[in-house]
């Protein structure tokens, strides 16, 4: 799927995969890919700036964690992030309903198909 198809929905995708608990950046990428059955393949160059932006906006917080010799930054939702995710979901439902009504219209009674 083209990266442009994800544009505008990336924040919601990232907030959603972090809803169940903290993840490091690569795990966020993997979670999006797994949830989308491999259709969405997000790049590190896309994810990390977006995670940093969400943190600056107060929707995420991050902490450094060590795993052996490796240090990773783990991200988790804030309360504001949970509220933002609820809004993103509402906007998404409205959007998909509107697009669906145009692409796959339901004939009105008495209307020719």
């Amino acid at each position: 799927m083209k990266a442009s198809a994800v544009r505008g929905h990336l924040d919601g995708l990232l907030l959603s995969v972090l809803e169940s608990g903290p993840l490091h950046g690569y795990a966020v990428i993997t979670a999006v890919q797994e949830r989308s059955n491999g259709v969405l393949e997000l790049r590190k160059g896309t994810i990390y700036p977006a995670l940093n932006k969400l943190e600056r906006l107060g929707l995420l917080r991050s902490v450094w964690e060590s795993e052996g010799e490796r240090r990773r930054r783990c991200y988790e939702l804030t309360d504001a992030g949970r509220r933002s995710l609820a809004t993103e979901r509402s906007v998404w439902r409205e959007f998909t309903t509107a697009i669906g009504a145009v692409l796959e219209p339901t004939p009105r009674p008495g209307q020719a198909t």
Side-chain angles (χ1 to χ4, degrees), residues 35-105:
R35 285 190 185 187
S36 71
N37 293 318
V39 174
L40 300 177
E41 293 184 24
L42 304 177
R43 299 173 187 253
K44 290 189 287 188
T46 301
I47 294 297
Y48 290 106
L51 290 170
N52 290 332
K53 178 191 81 168
L54 293 171
E55 187 172 18
R56 279 192 313 276
L57 293 172
L59 304 179
L60 299 178
R61 71 176 137 259
S62 69
V63 294
W64 284 100
E65 293 185 356
S66 296
E67 186 175 303
E69 295 290 317
R70 178 179 278 169
R71 288 189 59 190
R72 294 177 172 177
R73 178 169 259 166
C74 286
Y75 299 89
E76 66 179 329
L77 288 182
T78 62
D79 289 340
R82 289 186 192 288
R83 288 189 299 273
S84 181
L85 176 56
T87 300
E88 291 279 343
R89 285 181 170 145
S90 176
V91 168
W92 175 251
R93 281 190 293 273
E94 186 177 318
F95 175 77
T96 57
T97 298
I99 296 298
V102 174
L103 293 178
E104 297 176 346

